[in-house]
Amino acid sequence: MAQPGRVSIRLLLLAGSAVILLGVLGSTVWLAVAAGRDEADELFDARLATSARVLDSLMARQIEHATLNAPLVMDLPAPIRAGARAHDRALDAGATMPFSWRLQDWLFGHHDVESSLGHEYETHIAYQIWSEAADEAAATLLARSSSAPAAPFAPLRKGFSDHTLEDGIWRVFVLHSGDVWIQVAERADAREELSAKLGWATGAPLLIGLLVVLLLTGLLIGYGLAPLSELAERISARRPQDDEPLSLTRVPSEIEPVLSALNGLFGRVRSTLERERRFIDSAAHELRTPLAALKIHAQNARRAEDAAQRDASLDHLLAGVSRSVHLAEQMLAHSRAGRQTDCVPVSLRDVTRDAVAQRRPGCDASGHPLELELCDAPCMLLADANGLSSMVGNLIDNAQRYAPSGSAIQVVLHARDGQAVLSVSDAGPGIPAELRERVFEPYYRIPGSAGSGSGLGLAIVREVVERLGGQIALLDGAGGHGMRVELTIPLLSER
């Protein structure tokens, strides 16, 4: 069941299509009916005028000179008149009629009965012929149809007009010919019936077509959205330990970016889980050795025969504890470097200055004087200050660990083309070219190296640099001797 506030794409597309089609087709039907009604009115009016002229030619000129005691009445066959009257009474009184007739009357107007005697529609057409008189009230009715009243349809004035009589509204055309007035009238419901039929004839196919279009559109939308349903089903059926890429039977171009993004996410999750598993395995392996050494030194101190042996064992124990604490700190730093942290604008220049100041006493004691060269620019980065400090500190620690005593360590920071370039150089043995990629692996140490590091320093540095969108490079020192680690990090844009 859809949650409140959420709209189905399928329902939205169908409803939107229906509203658009109804608006467009409805406007089209309305315009078509309006145009048809206008044309029908013109045709009916023309027919009224033509009928009046026909009456003038065939009857009026003879009646004009005739002597009549009563008007001539053109009668209709009795069955037609009776059927029309019964039908009109039923409609006016709302009598019960078959449903098909009521539906037809609502859609088209009532159905006119035709037979071999004529057509019921004849009762909707009438005419009158009046004699000329100085006073309109003195005019004499010379002839009329049986459907026309004895009183004039309209005043004896030439032209078209609409008038309401007892049986409805009539459209009247008055023709003045010689000494007679000819009035030809048609009941308005006949025109309304024609307009309704025109509207239904125009609208019914469009309405049926609309339903067919919506049905086919719904099927098409369902077919188009089927990959989304399949994607949802495969994700819901996915087991927690399943980290393989998703695949679909059919991948439309609109869903391909979503599928690629999901598979990319699964790949990153897989890499993170693998990294965490490697971290746990490596941490357990790395901690086992110093802890075993601590246990041995503690046992030796306990079994010492004199104070000198006990002090020597305790010194070894304290040194092992220091190495274990350093290893734990490096592990924690490596774990934090791989996690997203809150980032704020930080000056890399200030962080570098503080990191050098913290390590200068230790470097001086080991015979590795620190040489610092900083640019004037603050080199602002959007980063975690602790991560930056750990990055700079590990570079200095690595240089101190492997550089020969008495050689200087150079730390240089400058800005170039919107990037901060930080380099740390030492005069140590360097790293063979074939191993420069492997030294970034956690816990990896170059075989035969004299240093006693944890193998996490450069791994921490790379994690921080990559999170900042930068690059790290291991280069030969000046004159091909020693090692220079160079970091290139994009600076925070100034706006």
Side-chain angles (χ1 to χ4, degrees):
M1 182 176 179
Q3 296 183 7
R6 296 186 180 180
V7 180
S8 166
I9 295 178
R10 181 178 303 178
L11 180 60
L12 179 63
L13 292 176
L14 278 176
S17 301
V19 170
I20 292 172
L21 288 173
L22 283 174
V24 173
L25 298 182
S27 301
T28 303
V29 171
W30 182 83
L31 291 173
V33 171
R37 177 174 296 174
D38 183 68
E39 293 298 321
D41 286 341
E42 293 179 359
L43 289 174
F44 279 118
D45 286 347
R47 186 177 64 177
L48 285 178
T50 301
S51 299
R53 300 186 196 285
V54 170
L55 287 172
D56 177 51
S57 299
L58 297 180
M59 296 181 60
R61 298 190 185 279
Q62 286 74 26
I63 296 176
E64 177 183 0
H65 303 288
T67 301
L68 300 175
N69 295 324
L72 295 176
V73 178
M74 184 187 73
D75 204 358
L76 293 175
I80 293 180
R81 287 188 284 108
R85 285 196 297 269
H87 201 154
D88 288 343
R89 284 196 301 269
L91 290 174
D92 293 338
T96 302
M97 291 188 301
F99 174 76
S100 59
W101 278 58
R102 291 200 302 269
L103 179 62
Q104 181 173 268
D105 180 70
W106 178 69
L107 293 176
F108 306 121
H110 69 271
H111 178 68
D112 296 317
V113 179
E114 62 180 35
S115 67
S116 59
L117 299 177
H119 197 285
E120 182 184 328
Y121 185 70
E122 292 181 75
T123 61
H124 293 66
I125 302 174
Y127 72 88
Q128 295 175 335
I129 301 176
W130 295 85
S131 65
E132 179 73 82
D135 183 5
E136 182 175 322
T140 303
L141 179 62
L142 302 178
R144 67 177 177 88
S145 62
S146 61
S147 55
F153 273 113
L156 299 180
R157 290 192 297 272
K158 293 185 292 185
F160 290 94
S161 58
D162 294 316
H163 297 277
T164 302
L165 302 181
E166 293 181 358
D167 55 352
I169 300 174
W170 290 75
R171 180 71 169 171
V172 182
F173 175 71
V174 179
L175 175 67
H176 187 207
S177 176
D179 294 333
V180 297
W181 292 86
I182 301 172
Q183 293 188 341
V184 181
E186 182 177 42
R187 215 162 77 182
D189 56 359
R191 300 189 178 200
E192 294 174 357
E193 178 182 343
L194 177 61
S195 298
K197 290 181 178 180
L198 286 174
W200 182 248
T202 304
L206 294 179
L207 179 60
I208 296 173
L210 172 63
L211 297 177
V212 174
V213 167
L214 289 179
L215 175 61
L216 296 179
T217 302
L219 295 176
L220 182 60
I221 292 174
Y223 175 77
L225 296 180
L228 277 179
S229 302
E230 182 184 0
L231 180 62
E233 292 175 359
R234 295 201 176 188
I235 291 177
S236 62
R238 199 176 182 86
R239 296 175 299 173
Q241 63 272 23
D242 188 2
D243 55 8
E244 293 300 317
L246 281 171
S247 60
L248 298 177
T249 306
R250 179 169 52 87
V251 184
S253 58
E254 292 81 4
I255 297 180
E256 186 176 1
V258 178
L259 185 62
S260 299
L262 278 174
N263 286 332
L265 175 62
F266 291 144
R268 292 191 295 274
V269 170
R270 180 170 60 251
S271 298
T272 301
L273 292 177
E274 290 176 355
R275 179 178 175 276
E276 294 298 329
R277 284 194 292 266
R278 288 197 305 268
F279 177 81
I280 294 173
D281 294 342
S282 300
H285 176 74
E286 293 295 327
L287 287 173
R288 182 176 59 184
T289 300
L291 289 177
L294 290 178
K295 180 179 179 181
I296 292 173
H297 293 313
Q299 291 173 345
N300 290 338
R302 184 176 184 180
R303 292 195 298 263
E305 297 178 356
D306 52 32
Q309 289 182 352
R310 184 170 56 254
D311 290 343
S313 297
L314 290 176
D315 289 340
H316 289 299
L317 180 61
L318 290 174
V321 169
S322 297
R323 288 193 298 271
S324 298
V325 170
H326 176 71
L327 176 60
E329 291 175 346
Q330 289 290 81
M331 289 179 177
L332 181 60
H334 182 251
S335 177
R336 287 175 175 172
R339 296 198 301 265
Q340 181 68 43
T341 54
D342 294 333
C343 296
V344 295
V346 180
S347 170
L348 181 58
R349 181 187 62 184
D350 296 343
V351 171
T352 303
R353 182 189 297 115
D354 294 342
V356 170
Q358 291 175 6
R359 283 162 176 77
R360 190 180 296 279
C363 289
D364 291 342
S366 63
H368 299 93
L370 281 172
E371 298 177 358
L372 178 61
E373 180 183 337
L374 296 176
C375 61
D376 296 332
C379 296
M380 299 301 295
L381 304 175
L382 191 63
D384 172 32
N386 292 328
L388 285 181
S389 180
S390 176
M391 176 188 74
V392 179
N394 274 287
L395 290 177
I396 297 174
D397 291 342
N398 274 359
Q400 180 187 5
R401 186 174 297 112
Y402 295 104
S405 179
S407 62
I409 299 174
Q410 297 177 336
V411 180
V412 179
L413 173 66
H414 63 276
R416 180 182 64 199
D417 299 331
Q419 295 182 318
V421 181
L422 174 65
S423 64
V424 177
S425 305
D426 64 75
I431 301 175
E434 65 273 13
L435 297 179
R436 289 185 180 180
E437 184 60 32
R438 292 208 62 190
V439 294
F440 292 110
E441 297 177 6
Y443 307 107
Y444 179 80
R445 288 188 289 271
I446 298 175
S449 61
S452 58
S454 61
L456 288 173
L458 288 178
I460 293 173
V461 173
R462 185 169 70 170
E463 288 279 0
V464 175
V465 171
E466 289 182 348
R467 186 165 291 280
L468 295 174
Q471 296 178 343
I472 181 171
L474 302 181
L475 308 172
D476 293 331
H481 301 288
M483 173 62 60
R484 179 164 61 93
V485 183
E486 184 175 278
L487 312 181
T488 305
I489 305 173
L491 292 172
L492 184 63
S493 60
E494 297 180 1
R495 297 184 179 178

